[in-house]
mmCIF file of all heavy atoms in Angstrom:
data_model
loop_
_atom_site.group_PDB
_atom_site.id
_atom_site.type_symbol
_atom_site.label_atom_id
_atom_site.label_comp_id
_atom_site.label_asym_id
_atom_site.label_seq_id
_atom_site.Cartn_x
_atom_site.Cartn_y
_atom_site.Cartn_z
ATOM 1 N N GLU A 169 -0.848 -7.001 -30.133
ATOM 2 C CA GLU A 169 -0.058 -8.220 -30.341
ATOM 3 C C GLU A 169 1.310 -8.110 -29.662
ATOM 4 O O GLU A 169 1.783 -9.039 -29.008
ATOM 5 C CB GLU A 169 0.122 -8.425 -31.845
ATOM 6 C CG GLU A 169 0.229 -9.866 -32.256
ATOM 7 C CD GLU A 169 0.222 -9.978 -33.778
ATOM 8 O OE1 GLU A 169 -0.773 -9.554 -34.420
ATOM 9 O OE2 GLU A 169 1.236 -10.448 -34.300
ATOM 10 N N LYS A 170 1.907 -6.926 -29.805
ATOM 11 C CA LYS A 170 3.245 -6.709 -29.268
ATOM 12 C C LYS A 170 3.238 -6.746 -27.732
ATOM 13 O O LYS A 170 4.086 -7.377 -27.098
ATOM 14 C CB LYS A 170 3.759 -5.345 -29.763
ATOM 15 C CG LYS A 170 5.245 -5.258 -29.723
ATOM 16 C CD LYS A 170 5.739 -4.078 -30.521
ATOM 17 C CE LYS A 170 7.195 -3.762 -30.287
ATOM 18 N NZ LYS A 170 7.983 -4.578 -29.441
ATOM 19 N N LEU A 171 2.234 -6.063 -27.139
ATOM 20 C CA LEU A 171 2.143 -6.058 -25.671
ATOM 21 C C LEU A 171 1.831 -7.454 -25.141
ATOM 22 O O LEU A 171 2.351 -7.867 -24.100
ATOM 23 C CB LEU A 171 1.062 -5.074 -25.207
ATOM 24 C CG LEU A 171 1.499 -3.621 -25.018
ATOM 25 C CD1 LEU A 171 0.301 -2.736 -24.689
ATOM 26 C CD2 LEU A 171 2.553 -3.494 -23.917
ATOM 27 N N GLU A 172 0.974 -8.187 -25.865
ATOM 28 C CA GLU A 172 0.634 -9.557 -25.440
ATOM 29 C C GLU A 172 1.893 -10.434 -25.452
ATOM 30 O O GLU A 172 2.131 -11.219 -24.519
ATOM 31 C CB GLU A 172 -0.454 -10.139 -26.363
ATOM 32 C CG GLU A 172 -0.944 -11.532 -25.974
ATOM 33 C CD GLU A 172 -1.641 -11.601 -24.610
ATOM 34 O OE1 GLU A 172 -2.446 -10.701 -24.317
ATOM 35 O OE2 GLU A 172 -1.353 -12.550 -23.859
ATOM 36 N N ALA A 173 2.726 -10.258 -26.484
ATOM 37 C CA ALA A 173 3.960 -11.052 -26.565
ATOM 38 C C ALA A 173 4.890 -10.706 -25.404
ATOM 39 O O ALA A 173 5.502 -11.586 -24.780
ATOM 40 C CB ALA A 173 4.657 -10.795 -27.903
ATOM 41 N N THR A 174 4.978 -9.413 -25.082
ATOM 42 C CA THR A 174 5.808 -8.981 -23.946
ATOM 43 C C THR A 174 5.280 -9.605 -22.660
ATOM 44 O O THR A 174 6.041 -10.115 -21.826
ATOM 45 C CB THR A 174 5.771 -7.435 -23.818
ATOM 46 O OG1 THR A 174 6.148 -6.880 -25.069
ATOM 47 C CG2 THR A 174 6.697 -6.940 -22.742
ATOM 48 N N TYR A 175 3.947 -9.552 -22.510
ATOM 49 C CA TYR A 175 3.327 -10.105 -21.293
ATOM 50 C C TYR A 175 3.607 -11.605 -21.175
ATOM 51 O O TYR A 175 3.927 -12.111 -20.097
ATOM 52 C CB TYR A 175 1.818 -9.821 -21.309
ATOM 53 C CG TYR A 175 1.091 -10.359 -20.102
ATOM 54 C CD1 TYR A 175 1.374 -9.888 -18.827
ATOM 55 C CD2 TYR A 175 0.116 -11.354 -20.238
ATOM 56 C CE1 TYR A 175 0.719 -10.389 -17.715
ATOM 57 C CE2 TYR A 175 -0.547 -11.863 -19.126
ATOM 58 C CZ TYR A 175 -0.236 -11.377 -17.870
ATOM 59 O OH TYR A 175 -0.882 -11.878 -16.771
ATOM 60 N N GLN A 176 3.512 -12.322 -22.292
ATOM 61 C CA GLN A 176 3.771 -13.773 -22.265
ATOM 62 C C GLN A 176 5.205 -14.065 -21.821
ATOM 63 O O GLN A 176 5.455 -15.015 -21.078
ATOM 64 C CB GLN A 176 3.489 -14.411 -23.642
ATOM 65 C CG GLN A 176 2.002 -14.449 -24.015
ATOM 66 C CD GLN A 176 1.133 -15.159 -22.973
ATOM 67 O OE1 GLN A 176 1.551 -16.125 -22.352
ATOM 68 N NE2 GLN A 176 -0.082 -14.654 -22.757
ATOM 69 N N LYS A 177 6.139 -13.217 -22.258
ATOM 70 C CA LYS A 177 7.545 -13.395 -21.859
ATOM 71 C C LYS A 177 7.695 -13.189 -20.352
ATOM 72 O O LYS A 177 8.455 -13.894 -19.677
ATOM 73 C CB LYS A 177 8.436 -12.378 -22.588
ATOM 74 C CG LYS A 177 8.956 -12.882 -23.918
ATOM 75 C CD LYS A 177 10.092 -11.983 -24.393
ATOM 76 C CE LYS A 177 10.106 -11.931 -25.908
ATOM 77 N NZ LYS A 177 10.657 -10.708 -26.465
ATOM 78 N N ILE A 178 6.955 -12.208 -19.837
ATOM 79 C CA ILE A 178 7.027 -11.915 -18.393
ATOM 80 C C ILE A 178 6.459 -13.090 -17.590
ATOM 81 O O ILE A 178 7.022 -13.493 -16.570
ATOM 82 C CB ILE A 178 6.299 -10.590 -18.078
ATOM 83 C CG1 ILE A 178 7.089 -9.415 -18.672
ATOM 84 C CG2 ILE A 178 6.107 -10.391 -16.570
ATOM 85 C CD1 ILE A 178 6.332 -8.125 -18.780
ATOM 86 N N LEU A 179 5.358 -13.682 -18.094
ATOM 87 C CA LEU A 179 4.785 -14.858 -17.422
ATOM 88 C C LEU A 179 5.798 -15.988 -17.352
ATOM 89 O O LEU A 179 5.962 -16.650 -16.328
ATOM 90 C CB LEU A 179 3.554 -15.373 -18.186
ATOM 91 C CG LEU A 179 2.285 -14.525 -18.182
ATOM 92 C CD1 LEU A 179 1.155 -15.281 -18.892
ATOM 93 C CD2 LEU A 179 1.871 -14.170 -16.774
ATOM 94 N N LYS A 180 6.479 -16.187 -18.480
ATOM 95 C CA LYS A 180 7.413 -17.305 -18.581
ATOM 96 C C LYS A 180 8.641 -17.094 -17.692
ATOM 97 O O LYS A 180 9.161 -18.041 -17.093
ATOM 98 C CB LYS A 180 7.855 -17.432 -20.051
ATOM 99 C CG LYS A 180 8.134 -18.843 -20.451
ATOM 100 C CD LYS A 180 8.268 -18.980 -21.941
ATOM 101 C CE LYS A 180 9.164 -20.168 -22.224
ATOM 102 N NZ LYS A 180 9.675 -20.148 -23.592
ATOM 103 N N ARG A 181 9.062 -15.846 -17.612
ATOM 104 C CA ARG A 181 10.268 -15.542 -16.853
ATOM 105 C C ARG A 181 10.033 -15.526 -15.343
ATOM 106 O O ARG A 181 10.964 -15.626 -14.549
ATOM 107 C CB ARG A 181 10.777 -14.169 -17.314
ATOM 108 C CG ARG A 181 12.051 -13.747 -16.672
ATOM 109 C CD ARG A 181 12.444 -12.387 -17.157
ATOM 110 N NE ARG A 181 13.571 -12.458 -18.063
ATOM 111 C CZ ARG A 181 14.115 -11.403 -18.652
ATOM 112 N NH1 ARG A 181 13.592 -10.219 -18.502
ATOM 113 N NH2 ARG A 181 15.157 -11.549 -19.426
ATOM 114 N N ASN A 182 8.752 -15.369 -14.942
ATOM 115 C CA ASN A 182 8.426 -15.250 -13.512
ATOM 116 C C ASN A 182 7.347 -16.264 -13.125
ATOM 117 O O ASN A 182 6.253 -15.887 -12.690
ATOM 118 C CB ASN A 182 7.945 -13.825 -13.210
ATOM 119 C CG ASN A 182 8.945 -12.766 -13.632
ATOM 120 O OD1 ASN A 182 9.914 -12.508 -12.936
ATOM 121 N ND2 ASN A 182 8.722 -12.171 -14.796
ATOM 122 N N PRO A 183 7.646 -17.553 -13.287
ATOM 123 C CA PRO A 183 6.599 -18.558 -13.104
ATOM 124 C C PRO A 183 6.038 -18.584 -11.685
ATOM 125 O O PRO A 183 6.787 -18.403 -10.719
ATOM 126 C CB PRO A 183 7.314 -19.886 -13.427
ATOM 127 C CG PRO A 183 8.763 -19.604 -13.251
ATOM 128 C CD PRO A 183 8.955 -18.156 -13.584
ATOM 129 N N GLY A 184 4.708 -18.785 -11.602
ATOM 130 C CA GLY A 184 4.082 -18.972 -10.300
ATOM 131 C C GLY A 184 3.820 -17.704 -9.506
ATOM 132 O O GLY A 184 3.209 -17.763 -8.454
ATOM 133 N N GLU A 185 4.265 -16.555 -10.031
ATOM 134 C CA GLU A 185 4.113 -15.306 -9.260
ATOM 135 C C GLU A 185 2.806 -14.623 -9.659
ATOM 136 O O GLU A 185 2.795 -13.566 -10.304
ATOM 137 C CB GLU A 185 5.330 -14.411 -9.483
ATOM 138 C CG GLU A 185 6.614 -15.078 -8.990
ATOM 139 C CD GLU A 185 7.888 -14.297 -9.316
ATOM 140 O OE1 GLU A 185 7.801 -13.196 -9.907
ATOM 141 O OE2 GLU A 185 8.962 -14.797 -8.986
ATOM 142 N N THR A 186 1.683 -15.233 -9.283
ATOM 143 C CA THR A 186 0.384 -14.824 -9.844
ATOM 144 C C THR A 186 0.010 -13.378 -9.520
ATOM 145 O O THR A 186 -0.565 -12.688 -10.351
ATOM 146 C CB THR A 186 -0.735 -15.765 -9.367
ATOM 147 O OG1 THR A 186 -0.661 -15.854 -7.943
ATOM 148 C CG2 THR A 186 -0.586 -17.153 -9.939
#
Side-chain angles (χ1 to χ4, degrees):
E169 211 173 300
K170 202 166 168 3
L171 273 175
E172 183 64 43
T174 306
Y175 180 63
Q176 290 304 325
K177 270 194 211 152
I178 291 164
L179 290 185
K180 212 168 153 197
R181 183 181 253 179
N182 304 280
E185 298 174 2
T186 52

